[in-house]
Amino acid sequence: MNHTFNTTALLALLATPLYAADKAAGHPTFKRDVAPFMNTYCLRCHNDKQQKGNFRLDILQPDFANLETAQRWAEVIGRMNSGEMPPPKEPQPTADELGKVVDWLANRIKEGEAARMAKRGPVAHYRLSREEYANTVYDLLGVHYDVTLPGAFNEDPRWHGFERIGSMLSLSPSHVDRYFKAAETILERAFPEQQPKAVKRRADAIEMHHRSDRKRIEELGIADKVRVALWPGYNLSAFRGYFWGQVKEPGVYRARIKLSGLKPRNGRPPHLSVWNPLLKRTIFDQDVIAPEDKPVIIEFETFLTMPAELDFLNEVPNKYPEGHWRNVLVSGGGIFTSTKDTRLLNPTGYKLFDEDGTALRPLLLVDWVEWEGPLTSEAELKKREGFMPDKEGDIAQARQSLQRFATRAWRRPATDAEIERYIKIIEKEVAAGEKFRTAYLAAMTGILTSNNFYYLAEGSPTERRDRVNDWELASRLSYFLWGSLPDDELFQAAQAGTLHTPAVLRAQLARMMGDPKIKRFTEAFPRQWLQLHKVGMFTPDEKLYPDYDKWLEKSMVLETTAFFNEVFAQNLSIREFLASDWTMANPRLASHYKLPPLTAAMMQRIGLNPEDHRGGLLTQASILSLTSDGTRHRPVHRGVWVSEAIFGKTPPPPPPNVEPIEPTPATAPKATVRMQLEAHTTNSNCSSCHKNIDPLGFAFDNYDAVGRWRTEEVVATGQGANPPINAGGKLPDGRAYNGPDEFKQLLLADLDRFAPAFVNNLSTFALRRAMTVDDEAQINAIAQASKKDGYKMKSLIENLVLSELFQKR
């Protein structure tokens, strides 16, 4: 079948002004150069009958004023430039033929940019993500609002991991209803009729566990020595029994716990987990490494709704052995004092220590717990100043306060006409018999439920602007770096009209990157860029991976976000993401990686040796596990992840009805996943895509589904010994590697390719939209400008913020 271009589309192209320039003598033309090229080299595989790589060319409209169409033509250029099209086994064009077609398409795409930009609407709206909503409420009013509570806000839809893409964050009636409920709750907490007083209470081990036996314990003379021994599988009430009922207000509460942790020989340290049954999640986690005679005090703050119930758990998988508990006991339970005290042995209890007093399983020894709250800091109270009128019934003062509140909440000056609508609400409520305070809070609720609050708006319905104004720039910058509204200094720069000037913008950027709120960026961006929400999506099979637990899963993600934070804080090069001689780890992760034991409980920077086979992002357990399925590693998924995250290139989806790889038959020799995959992709329909994807994933075959290093693959079925790992391969450009360490060196050689891909993802996060063909030149310019500084993280961010890309609409 002779596949040719759609005739109507061709005639339409010939009639466009863009084509008129081609008529000049000597210039390539569509009719003479492009259409024959496509017919000869492309349409056999991309037509109405066959669309390799899910790509059809025969009906691709030559309308370069259409963004989607221009994007498709840009992809054609990319595939031709990379050598993917035409495939090596197909007839190949000469360099001259290829150059003429690529140049013609590139010129038409560039010429169509103005027409594509003109089609953009005069105003763009971006709804706040729920995380941004919570940050904004806190920075506006000093109120903590848990957007993850059941029934609060829905989880935001994602696009390639990003949770803040404007086109994805639509608005439904249910959203509006929840915004109203949230606003009422937030304002009640911000402006209570009487500020609740904080209550502070400490409970010792006797009160926590032996309240009814206090008198007898005192008679034994051990009241000051009693501790609660918390072994795996035993829960201890952490809040309700001695604090609940004394406080009724939701808020932030500070916990302080004095405890120590006993680790068995060659075992894991005990792990304190504070569990919230209402939320069905852990609100605090930490390994505890402290000798029995040198307990530590752990402190943390958390937001609690009332009534609250919390439990202390020692979350280390363990089974009870048979035997007795060699410590002081009374009827109804044991009273623990120390591992050296062996009085009043209980012959029917569980044995927790050997004869030398060494723990047989990880044990937490809790001395006391202290809770204080609800807490409201002076800084939080100061945020609310000027938003509530002092005089009851004073409309003039109410107008001033509302103007101040709306301007701050809406991130730009509120007009008199806008405020007048809310003044009328107050007047109507008061006329209907409501108290002035209640009526004023109703007006404030209206401001918080206005689309001016939960939407970031860029542009104007009355004028055509190609760039954001200073107010919009302030919000764009603050939501990029802080996930929240601008602070007073940014507001002042916007009001002065100087924020867009390079000197002021550079100074504000440096200030913001040094503010503690920057932690929101260093946690949110890597989580979304690297799609860390997928970690744990497929829970590993406990029979295959018995040591896997939720704390390990959480530690995996913490390593990656802490690694990114360290690169940012130290202003290191993004080359560290590809290969490094260090990582961030805690004791749980160090044990998982078989690294030397750590003596400190927190996430910390540690050096790596070549034999550790770690370093960079790609060999972190979070990345390796999210590209697995819970039972085995998946080289194709790992290859796709590397292609997207490192090279910024999304491979085409697999064709429909692809047969899955079946387990090795019981009568056949054991085979690795790679061996099965290579047999599977001998089909020509599969091999064209797999040859570009698989080598990126095979490099990490030494790591199993939870990121552990191995030299042979455990195969459950089949005959013979487990087969050795083959982690070698060859990239599409012919460069060979043997194992992940050599592969990472090849990636370092491609740093100039990684940098634009990283800037693309950074820009997607910052600008809340997918990057298009019209952004490519700016993205490449930002990367190139950062090269002279070795692609240091803060230089990349600065070059992005100072660019036309960041400041244009």
Side-chain angles (χ1 to χ4, degrees):
M1 185 178 196
N2 183 25
H3 298 282
T4 58
F5 265 90
N6 181 287
T7 305
T8 304
L10 177 57
L11 291 174
L13 175 65
L14 296 174
T16 62
L18 293 175
Y19 180 71
D22 290 334
K23 294 181 179 180
H27 284 274
T29 69
F30 185 86
K31 183 177 181 179
R32 188 183 68 232
D33 300 283
V34 181
F37 181 97
M38 297 295 171
N39 286 331
T40 302
Y41 300 112
C42 305
L43 295 190
R44 193 173 71 81
C45 299
H46 305 281
N47 53 66
D48 59 333
K49 304 295 183 184
Q50 182 178 207
Q51 295 100 42
K52 284 195 174 181
N54 198 34
F55 204 96
R56 186 174 178 181
L57 273 173
D58 62 314
I59 58 171
L60 182 59
Q61 297 296 313
D63 177 12
F64 295 96
N66 180 282
L67 178 58
E68 185 176 351
T69 302
Q71 195 78 20
R72 295 290 277 179
W73 282 115
E75 189 174 346
V76 171
I77 292 176
R79 293 192 180 191
M80 289 195 293
N81 282 340
S82 68
E84 291 182 43
M85 288 174 50
K89 294 182 180 180
E90 297 293 329
Q92 297 296 306
T94 65
D96 185 58
E97 287 178 303
L98 185 66
K100 283 183 179 180
V101 170
V102 168
D103 285 347
W104 190 90
L105 289 172
N107 287 335
R108 299 296 83 78
I109 290 172
K110 181 63 178 175
E111 290 169 4
E113 182 177 356
R116 294 192 296 273
M117 294 295 289
K119 288 184 176 181
R120 291 188 177 183
V123 183
H125 291 89
Y126 304 95
R127 181 167 66 81
L128 301 183
S129 70
R130 65 176 185 174
E131 182 177 66
E132 291 171 324
Y133 182 95
N135 290 339
T136 302
V137 164
Y138 180 75
D139 291 344
L140 175 66
L141 291 167
V143 171
H144 293 267
Y145 184 74
D146 191 347
V147 292
T148 65
L149 280 174
F153 288 163
N154 291 334
E155 191 172 351
D156 295 317
R158 298 182 180 91
W159 179 85
H160 292 265
F162 291 102
E163 303 164 2
R164 41 193 271 144
I165 303 301
S167 59
M168 299 293 293
L169 296 175
S170 58
L171 188 71
S172 68
S174 67
H175 281 116
V176 176
D177 180 59
R178 291 177 180 185
Y179 281 139
F180 268 100
K181 291 178 180 177
E184 290 172 347
T185 299
I186 289 162
L187 291 171
E188 285 174 6
R189 293 175 184 171
F191 304 104
E193 294 200 50
Q194 186 174 357
Q195 193 71 33
K197 292 185 178 180
V199 177
K200 187 174 182 179
R201 176 83 193 280
R202 177 181 294 187
D204 60 16
I206 298 174
E207 184 167 0
M208 284 189 286
H209 197 51
H210 308 289
R211 186 180 302 175
S212 61
D213 288 317
R214 181 177 290 275
K215 184 177 180 180
R216 183 173 178 184
I217 290 171
E218 290 174 348
E219 291 174 350
L220 288 171
I222 57 173
D224 59 338
K225 300 180 178 62
V226 173
R227 292 167 165 176
V228 177
L230 191 58
W231 60 85
Y234 173 64
N235 295 2
L236 176 67
S237 176
F239 187 88
R240 180 185 56 176
Y242 41 88
F243 201 85
W244 189 38
Q246 299 186 43
V247 291
K248 299 179 180 179
E249 299 297 329
V252 173
Y253 289 80
R254 180 184 299 122
R256 298 176 74 241
I257 309 152
K258 185 177 181 181
L259 75 173
S260 49
L262 304 184
K263 187 179 80 166
R265 290 187 179 93
N266 303 317
R268 284 165 46 184
H271 177 72
L272 174 68
S273 177
V274 183
W275 175 258
N276 189 322
L278 174 65
L279 303 181
K280 293 182 170 55
R281 66 170 183 252
T282 298
I283 60 173
F284 179 80
D285 278 283
Q286 185 172 306
D287 287 332
V288 179
I289 304 175
E292 182 181 2
D293 58 345
K294 295 180 180 179
V296 295
I297 296 177
I298 291 175
E299 183 174 317
F300 66 92
E301 292 183 359
T302 186
F303 179 83
L304 298 176
T305 56
M306 292 294 138
E309 293 190 31
L310 302 175
D311 292 318
F312 287 148
L313 310 177
N314 184 356
E315 284 199 329
V316 183
N318 226 283
K319 293 182 179 179
Y320 299 127
E322 295 180 358
H324 61 270
W325 185 1
R326 60 188 299 265
N327 284 283
V328 178
L329 302 169
V330 294
S331 59
I335 300 177
F336 175 82
T337 56
S338 79
T339 58
K340 303 297 187 292
D341 197 335
T342 59
R343 293 173 293 169
L344 303 176
L345 297 182
N346 180 1
T348 61
Y350 296 117
K351 188 173 182 179
L352 300 180
F353 312 96
D354 63 18
E355 298 309 313
D356 297 325
T358 302
L360 295 175
R361 64 194 42 73
L363 283 177
L364 290 172
L365 308 180
V366 182
D367 290 44
W368 50 257
V369 60
E370 179 182 275
W371 286 95
E372 182 180 8
L375 304 174
T376 305
S377 68
E378 291 298 321
E380 290 168 344
L381 292 174
K382 189 172 179 60
K383 294 177 189 290
R384 307 165 194 172
E385 288 181 358
F387 292 160
M388 179 72 74
D390 297 328
K391 297 180 182 178
E392 182 79 13
D394 190 327
I395 289 294
Q397 193 181 73
R399 184 177 283 106
Q400 291 178 347
S401 297
L402 281 180
Q403 182 101 33
R404 192 177 295 113
F405 180 63
T407 293
R408 193 82 175 88
W410 295 348
R411 304 167 290 273
R412 49 87 176 163
T415 66
D416 292 340
E418 288 174 321
I419 297 303
E420 201 58 37
R421 295 170 52 200
Y422 297 100
I423 293 298
K424 289 180 180 178
I425 291 176
I426 296 175
E427 292 173 339
K428 288 180 180 179
E429 290 289 303
V430 170
E434 289 288 350
K435 292 181 180 179
F436 181 81
R437 182 181 181 280
T438 304
Y440 184 83
L441 287 174
M444 294 185 82
T445 301
I447 289 172
L448 287 185
T449 52
S450 164
N451 59 6
N452 293 305
F453 177 70
Y454 52 74
Y455 270 118
L456 296 173
E458 296 176 351
S460 169
T462 59
E463 62 173 326
R464 190 91 196 178
R465 286 195 281 111
D466 294 330
R467 297 169 67 90
V468 293
N469 63 28
D470 275 28
W471 293 105
E472 295 161 352
L473 180 59
S475 286
R476 182 176 279 191
L477 185 59
S478 67
Y479 279 94
F480 170 34
L481 296 177
W482 291 344
S484 184
L485 47 67
D487 64 357
D488 288 339
E489 194 166 330
L490 265 180
F491 265 108
Q492 291 166 9
Q495 191 166 27
T498 60
L499 181 58
H500 68 280
T501 61
V504 175
L505 189 56
R506 186 179 284 110
Q508 287 297 321
L509 174 62
R511 179 183 69 86
M512 293 176 71
M513 289 195 292
D515 190 281
K517 292 196 291 286
I518 195 65
K519 194 73 181 293
R520 296 171 183 170
F521 165 73
T522 62
E523 290 181 354
F525 174 67
R527 187 183 73 242
Q528 296 181 39
W529 163 40
L530 303 173
Q531 303 192 46
L532 299 180
H533 68 280
K534 292 184 178 179
V535 176
M537 182 177 291
F538 299 103
T539 304
D541 188 323
E542 62 180 12
K543 293 181 180 179
L544 298 175
Y545 309 101
D547 291 334
Y548 188 91
D549 56 33
K550 284 297 181 181
W551 176 230
L552 173 60
E553 181 177 297
K554 191 171 183 178
S555 297
M556 290 175 175
V557 175
L558 286 173
E559 175 190 17
T560 304
T561 54
F563 188 92
F564 182 91
N565 183 72
E566 182 74 1
V567 171
F568 175 87
Q570 302 301 323
N571 196 21
L572 303 178
S573 169
I574 60 171
R575 66 180 287 119
E576 301 292 318
F577 294 141
L578 303 180
S580 68
D581 59 2
W582 62 276
T583 192
M584 305 296 290
N586 59 14
R588 182 69 187 92
L589 209 56
S591 172
H592 185 66
Y593 289 159
K594 298 191 184 310
L595 300 174
L598 301 180
T599 56
M602 75 290 293
M603 193 65 67
Q604 57 210 272
R605 178 168 173 163
I606 61 171
L608 296 170
N609 297 314
E611 59 269 23
D612 296 325
H613 303 292
R614 302 287 170 181
L617 293 173
L618 282 72
T619 49
Q620 292 181 2
S622 62
I623 307 303
L624 295 164
S625 67
L626 70 83
T627 51
S628 303
D629 64 5
T631 58
R632 60 188 178 186
H633 69 293
R634 304 179 79 174
V636 175
H637 287 237
R638 289 178 175 178
V640 169
W641 188 93
V642 172
S643 182
E644 289 186 337
I646 304 303
F647 295 122
K649 188 174 183 180
T650 301
N657 303 319
V658 175
E659 292 293 328
I661 296 177
E662 298 293 337
T664 303
T667 56
K670 290 187 175 183
T672 64
V673 171
R674 174 174 183 163
M675 294 162 64
Q676 294 174 290
L677 188 61
E678 288 174 334
H680 174 79
T681 56
T682 53
N683 186 312
S684 60
N685 291 326
C686 302
S687 60
S688 61
C689 289
H690 277 277
K691 70 181 179 64
N692 295 318
I693 300 172
D694 293 356
L696 306 179
F698 288 151
F700 305 101
D701 272 11
N702 279 113
Y703 303 94
D704 65 13
V706 295
R708 296 178 303 187
W709 175 264
R710 66 204 176 155
T711 56
E712 63 179 33
E713 187 170 322
V714 177
V715 181
T717 59
Q719 299 291 320
N722 287 322
I725 297 294
N726 173 16
K730 185 180 290 186
L731 297 181
D733 61 11
R735 291 179 295 165
Y737 64 84
N738 183 22
D741 299 320
E742 289 187 12
F743 179 80
K744 287 193 282 189
Q745 293 306 309
L746 295 182
L747 292 184
L748 286 178
D750 278 341
L751 189 59
D752 290 344
R753 287 181 62 196
F754 172 51
F758 179 80
V759 173
N760 187 302
N761 283 295
L762 194 65
S763 303
T764 298
F765 181 87
L767 301 179
R768 315 174 76 89
R769 62 175 177 82
M771 296 296 100
T772 71
V773 62
D774 295 328
D775 303 313
E776 285 183 7
Q778 276 290 317
I779 287 171
N780 290 329
I782 293 165
Q784 188 63 32
S786 307
K787 183 176 182 178
K788 62 184 178 183
D789 199 25
Y791 297 119
K792 288 185 177 179
M793 173 68 76
K794 292 181 180 179
S795 296
L796 279 161
I797 294 173
E798 180 177 300
N799 288 326
L800 168 60
V801 169
L802 294 174
S803 71
E804 285 290 318
L805 176 62
F806 191 82
Q807 298 181 49
K808 74 179 182 181
R809 284 196 52 248

